Amino acid sequence: MLKKLIYHEFIATGRIFLPLYGAFLVMSILLRVYIGVQQAWGFELPDWLAVIGAIPIILYVLLFIAVIAATVVVAILRFYKNLITEEGYLMFTLPVKVHQLVNSKLIVATVWSIISGLLCTLSVFILIVTSDIFKAVPYWWEIIYIQAAEQGLYLTGWLLFELIVSMLVSIIGSFIMIYAAIAATNFSSNHKVLMGIGAYLLINIVLQTITSIVMISGGFLMNETLVSMLTSPKNYMGFIDLTVWGSTAITVVTSAALYWGTCWVLKHKLNLN
Amino acid sequence: MSAILECRGLVKQYGYRRALNGVNLTIERGKIIGLLGPNGSGKSTLIKLANGLITPTAGEILINGKAPGEESKKIVSYLPDKNYLNEWMTVEQLIKFFYDFYEDFDSHVAMDMLSKLGIGLKERLKNLSKGTKEKVQLILVMSRKAQLYLLDEPIGGVDPAARDYILHTIISNYNENASVIISTHLISDVESILDEVVFISQGQIVLTSSVDEIREQHDKSVDALFREVFKC
């Protein structure tokens, strides 16, 4: 059933993302051509036409923002509209488990976030990459790698792996936070949106408090280790490992609690108007 | 065989308002039951509780002996009193959706009924009239071979000709082991197809009876008795 839910969730969200992605890619290519033509012909627009000349850039920036914003906005709207408003009458009468409903939304929102991130990177490449830059990349990489290593930072596959894991965890954690706030709307019959916003703020405050307490007490407990890590470049990587995995662990624990709470509310306190 | 629906001391409180106040009710299989009551009497609340869309404040509601959940949803086909389908979807996408999730959904039956009504499969729901949307919803719900159909105001927003069609659809699509609960206050329209009636008022059941008993004992139609019981 989860597969079917995911399939239908992709259909429902793809009709927004795919045209947006298409427009963004086309705009990236057009802008690249526009800049290329401008450079090749060496023309400059007169001042009174400069505004028109800026339109492709403005459109590109707007689409860039839209691609990023859509991942969050669509995630909010899909969870709220599809589960809490009238459409919830259909979704909650399907013979599926509550956590499958949540998982399908979470997985699809995460996949779109990853695609959006990759697409933005690709778009920047489309805009700036020339064959010269391509050739220079290995050379730059060597310089950056050596310089970082001299400072005690080793840009290894492991570092890349931990950064990717922590980024994924934080993306998933952010969606779960949104879902938990939306699930809390079931506690109000008449002021659901207000309740959702209030719950989101409250969850944020509580999580930040927990994170601060854990960080500060961790800092006190491991005072000596931290000092030795920060005073010797040999141990910089250890410090990065500790902070990245530490903060990822906190996010995993808090997100797991919020995920459980979201499913519990949707199962036991569902209150569709 | 156990009752298809059973309520024991069922209470639902919304803030200060008690929508259901200690409902005890048993619905057997193979019947068409009218859940009749004035506006705000608790009909929709009872049906929503049976679907697990809201949770009881006290008491319990059982479908086929179990609390509403994944298993009960496999055997209950529900028509809400509002447009609950995704407006952007085409009729064809909706059929695929129902087919994917409900094992008892028969897409041939659905397509046959849609074609009889001249509703195109490629039509988007948002482009259909209110009445046509309601017909699409009813067709999807009645194309399931469910054990319990819960129809909340199925004829509320459509013209009399469409009402006849809807009622015909209901009686020709349910099997003898299934029960149909129709919530409505348009009694004269549904009276002819009902086996039993449940009168509900201010969150309490005030009468359960077969239609034949009402005619014999009270020498009245259900509609006349309803007007008498709920006289303002």
Side-chain angles (χ1 to χ4, degrees):
Chain A
M1 281 296 180
L2 179 63
K3 271 189 199 162
K4 288 176 185 168
L5 285 170
I6 290 174
Y7 167 79
H8 285 281
E9 188 63 22
F10 269 122
I11 302 264
T13 47
R15 72 200 175 92
I16 298 159
F17 282 109
L18 295 182
L20 184 61
Y21 287 165
F24 182 50
L25 272 182
V26 168
M27 196 61 227
S28 307
I29 294 165
L30 285 180
L31 187 59
R32 171 68 192 259
V33 171
Y34 174 76
I35 293 169
V37 167
Q38 231 181 11
Q39 283 172 346
W41 294 353
F43 68 86
E44 267 188 39
L45 292 168
D47 283 351
W48 60 277
L49 266 181
V51 177
I52 296 173
I55 286 175
I57 299 168
I58 294 169
L59 277 178
Y60 173 79
V61 172
L62 286 178
L63 277 169
F64 195 104
I65 295 168
V67 166
I68 303 289
T71 58
V72 180
V73 174
V74 171
I76 295 173
L77 287 180
R78 275 301 291 171
F79 202 85
Y80 182 71
K81 196 159 179 282
N82 199 227
L83 295 183
I84 307 297
T85 64
E86 280 87 353
E87 289 175 22
Y89 281 68
L90 177 63
M91 300 313 288
F92 281 106
T93 45
L94 296 177
V96 297
K97 294 186 169 69
V98 167
H99 72 258
Q100 290 176 324
L101 288 173
V102 177
N103 290 353
S104 66
K105 301 260 183 283
L106 188 57
I107 290 167
V108 172
T110 307
V111 169
W112 288 126
S113 301
I114 294 168
I115 297 175
S116 292
L118 292 176
L119 208 67
C120 289
T121 316
L122 174 70
S123 159
V124 171
F125 266 88
I126 290 174
L127 279 189
I128 63 162
V129 163
T130 61
S131 60
D132 290 344
I133 293 178
F134 243 124
K135 282 178 203 156
V137 166
Y139 175 68
W140 286 353
W141 172 247
E142 212 175 310
I143 293 176
I144 293 168
Y145 184 85
I146 292 168
Q147 296 237 328
E150 276 172 9
Q151 304 296 321
L153 294 171
Y154 297 96
L155 306 177
T156 56
W158 171 252
L159 182 67
L160 185 68
F161 169 73
E162 63 184 355
L163 289 178
I164 288 174
V165 170
S166 92
M167 207 186 292
L168 253 181
V169 167
S170 82
I171 290 173
I172 294 171
S174 324
F175 285 132
I176 292 177
M177 235 165 91
I178 292 170
Y179 293 170
I182 295 174
T185 59
N186 283 291
F187 291 112
S188 170
S189 294
N190 302 322
H191 307 287
K192 284 190 182 286
V193 174
L194 206 62
M195 175 63 105
I197 295 169
Y200 188 75
L201 293 176
L202 186 71
I203 291 169
N204 246 311
I205 293 168
V206 171
L207 287 193
Q208 287 195 1
T209 312
I210 292 173
T211 311
S212 308
I213 292 171
V214 173
M215 290 282 197
I216 292 167
S217 43
F220 271 117
L221 287 172
M222 295 193 294
N223 195 9
E224 282 178 22
T225 323
L226 288 175
V227 168
S228 80
M229 278 177 166
L230 288 171
T231 47
S232 158
K234 273 192 299 185
N235 297 328
Y236 279 172
M237 292 310 286
F239 179 72
I240 291 175
D241 276 350
L242 185 70
T243 45
V244 172
W245 289 123
S247 63
T248 303
I250 294 173
T251 312
V252 167
V253 171
T254 52
S255 301
L258 286 174
Y259 174 85
W260 180 85
T262 304
C263 292
W264 186 85
V265 170
L266 293 179
K267 193 170 181 188
H268 298 285
K269 297 287 168 194
L270 191 62
N271 183 21
L272 297 189
N273 273 349
Chain B
M1 215 182 267
S2 65
I4 189 70
L5 184 139
E6 202 172 355
C7 307
R8 293 182 199 142
L10 193 62
V11 175
K12 180 64 187 176
Q13 186 96 21
Y14 290 115
Y16 295 108
R17 193 172 67 84
R18 190 160 272 211
L20 285 184
N21 192 6
V23 167
N24 292 300
L25 181 68
T26 303
I27 302 288
E28 301 296 339
R29 290 162 195 271
K31 305 268 181 184
I32 299 185
I33 299 114
L35 180 61
L36 313 175
N39 297 323
S41 54
K43 303 187 294 289
S44 292
T45 303
L46 182 58
I47 289 182
K48 279 163 78 175
L49 281 163
N51 280 295
L53 296 175
I54 48 177
T55 41
T57 311
E60 62 176 357
I61 183 162
L62 303 172
I63 310 290
N64 201 20
K66 288 179 192 152
E70 197 186 354
E71 289 307 309
S72 76
K73 288 166 190 175
K74 285 181 187 167
I75 58 166
V76 173
S77 192
Y78 169 49
L79 180 75
D81 61 343
K82 48 189 80 186
N83 292 326
Y84 72 124
L85 301 174
N86 292 269
E87 290 273 311
W88 56 269
M89 282 173 112
T90 62
V91 175
E92 193 174 29
Q93 284 175 317
L94 285 165
I95 289 178
K96 163 111 177 77
F97 190 93
F98 270 66
Y99 177 78
D100 274 354
F101 288 104
Y102 297 113
E103 281 176 15
D104 58 5
F105 182 76
D106 189 337
S107 29
H108 296 295
V109 171
M111 284 195 269
D112 189 41
M113 284 197 272
L114 287 163
S115 92
K116 276 183 189 154
L117 282 178
I119 301 172
L121 294 179
K122 301 285 177 198
E123 296 265 19
R124 277 192 198 283
L125 209 59
K126 66 178 169 197
N127 297 332
L128 300 177
S129 70
K130 187 169 174 279
T132 311
K133 272 183 208 167
E134 291 192 7
K135 284 179 203 163
V136 171
Q137 292 190 165
L138 182 83
I139 286 171
L140 291 170
V141 167
M142 293 311 296
S143 297
R144 288 182 59 195
K145 292 279 167 255
Q147 293 181 36
L148 178 63
Y149 297 86
L150 296 170
L151 313 177
D152 198 356
E153 302 282 2
I155 54 170
V158 294
D159 59 77
R163 276 178 203 176
D164 286 346
Y165 172 79
I166 288 169
L167 296 177
H168 173 74
T169 308
I170 293 168
I171 46 174
S172 55
N173 279 284
Y174 91 105
N175 63 64
E176 59 187 25
N177 284 325
S179 279
V180 184
I181 297 182
I182 303 173
S183 131
T184 186
H185 51 262
L186 300 168
I187 298 161
S188 56
D189 287 296
V190 297
E191 189 168 345
S192 61
I193 67 163
L194 297 180
D195 297 316
E196 291 186 1
V197 292
V198 174
F199 279 12
I200 182 167
S201 174
Q202 296 178 346
Q204 286 180 316
I205 306 293
V206 291
L207 174 83
T208 50
S209 170
S210 77
V211 173
D212 291 341
E213 272 171 13
I214 289 179
R215 290 195 187 121
E216 281 166 20
Q217 290 176 9
H218 299 272
D219 198 24
K220 283 189 177 86
S221 68
V222 177
D223 189 51
L225 183 65
F226 182 88
R227 286 168 198 271
E228 190 181 297
V229 172
F230 295 106
K231 195 172 180 184
C232 300

